[in-house]
Amino acid sequence: LNGPTFIDLSKAKDLLFAIHKEGDKGGIVAFKKKDANTWDKLASGYGDNGSGCHVSYRESSQTIYVSNYHAGVVDVFKLDGEELTVVQTVEHSGSSVHKNQDASHVHYADFNDGQTLLFVCDLGTDYVTTYDIAEDGTLTHSSEIKLTPGTGPRHLVLHPTEPYAYIIGELANTTTVVSVDAAGEMAAVETQLNIPEEHVEKSAGAAIRITNDGRFLYVSTRFHNVLTVYEISANGSALTRIQ
């Protein structure tokens, strides 16, 4: 593939979806597992917005959500047999205070546990937006939260049992704790600086992961090249840096 910058698997791990670029067109390729070492190409599809940076797959509607950093959009692809087609393009717009925030830069789109809500991080505008997902997989705007200007929200993780999420800011090198209600509406609770202040300007927050028991949070920082470990409070609302 050309530039498979992100992949996602079905729950049974028998379908794989990968970012792919062909010429000036960006889209995804789907593969079906044949045996332990072989995957057969099932379908490919392309949108009008260049190559994406994140992909997530929704089982019940067989829809795939591709985040496009450069175009500031989420493309919704539908897998129908051996065809992948764009059924919806959701456009974001705006900017913020950092030099890398001249326009919308959608960096992440993924679900709550029930796959009824889609959370979208827009690094370019400092907004995290919640969308309701219809039965057919299409999106309707529900709510949004604006983080501190210059945060650059890149990815987030949800607590496995408590109503909280944790958002990594690429540009500010922060982790923001937000409460999340049943409708997916978020409210900021606290923000932690992931690395020492003197390294912030020349570094970039990258990945964020939470343990299955919800006790520990891990964030990585590019250029400063560290992993930061947080212990999460019992109710999920507070972080304590331990390493």
Side-chain angles (χ1 to χ4, degrees):
L1 298 181
N2 182 14
T5 52
F6 215 89
I7 64 166
D8 196 20
L9 290 164
S10 61
K11 288 181 181 177
K13 295 182 170 58
D14 60 343
L15 292 175
L16 184 149
F17 303 90
I19 299 288
H20 178 59
K21 187 176 181 181
E22 198 164 283
D24 59 352
K25 288 189 173 183
I28 48 174
V29 179
F31 296 89
K32 187 170 180 61
K33 193 168 189 178
K34 186 176 181 180
D35 55 46
N37 299 307
T38 308
W39 293 76
D40 289 336
K41 182 178 176 180
L42 182 64
S44 60
Y46 303 92
D48 298 322
N49 297 300
S51 191
C53 63
H54 185 275
V55 57
S56 54
Y57 172 63
R58 184 172 186 260
E59 301 275 343
S60 61
S61 54
Q62 290 199 299
T63 41
I64 304 96
Y65 303 82
V66 177
S67 302
N68 192 299
Y69 178 92
H70 298 289
V73 304
V74 179
D75 280 324
V76 184
F77 286 81
K78 170 76 173 177
L79 177 63
D80 187 4
E82 295 183 359
E83 293 187 359
L84 270 168
T85 55
V86 177
V87 295
Q88 185 183 19
T89 295
V90 178
E91 296 185 13
H92 283 218
S93 61
S95 60
S96 195
V97 298
H98 192 276
K99 63 181 181 180
N100 293 350
Q101 294 179 310
D102 58 329
S104 168
H105 296 306
V106 175
H107 214 304
Y108 167 97
D110 214 339
F111 317 104
N112 62 339
D113 284 343
Q115 295 195 330
T116 58
L117 301 171
L118 186 77
F119 301 108
V120 177
C121 292
D122 191 329
L123 184 147
T125 65
D126 291 317
Y127 278 98
V128 178
T129 305
T130 303
Y131 291 93
D132 291 319
I133 308 176
E135 190 174 330
D136 66 358
T138 55
L139 305 174
T140 304
H141 182 277
S142 176
S143 62
E144 59 190 23
I145 180 174
K146 185 173 177 64
L147 302 184
T148 302
T151 295
R154 178 182 172 95
H155 282 200
L156 65 80
V157 291
L158 298 169
H159 194 285
T161 57
E162 302 297 331
Y164 292 94
Y166 311 92
I167 304 166
I168 186 167
E170 176 176 320
L171 304 178
N173 288 280
T174 54
T175 297
T176 299
V177 182
V178 296
S179 61
V180 187
D181 68 14
E185 188 164 352
M186 297 181 177
V189 177
E190 69 167 23
T191 297
Q192 297 266 7
L193 191 61
N194 296 332
I195 60 175
E197 179 74 42
E198 62 266 27
H199 297 290
V200 167
E201 191 174 339
K202 295 181 180 180
S203 300
I208 184 166
R209 297 290 185 270
I210 191 170
T211 54
N212 291 335
D213 59 8
R215 293 181 59 203
F216 300 100
L217 188 74
Y218 300 87
V219 298
S220 68
T221 303
R222 302 202 310 274
F223 311 124
H224 186 45
N225 295 321
V226 296
L227 300 177
T228 304
V229 185
Y230 291 105
E231 185 172 13
I232 304 172
S233 63
N235 71 353
S237 67
L239 302 176
T240 301
R241 188 166 65 197
I242 60 173
Q243 188 183 15

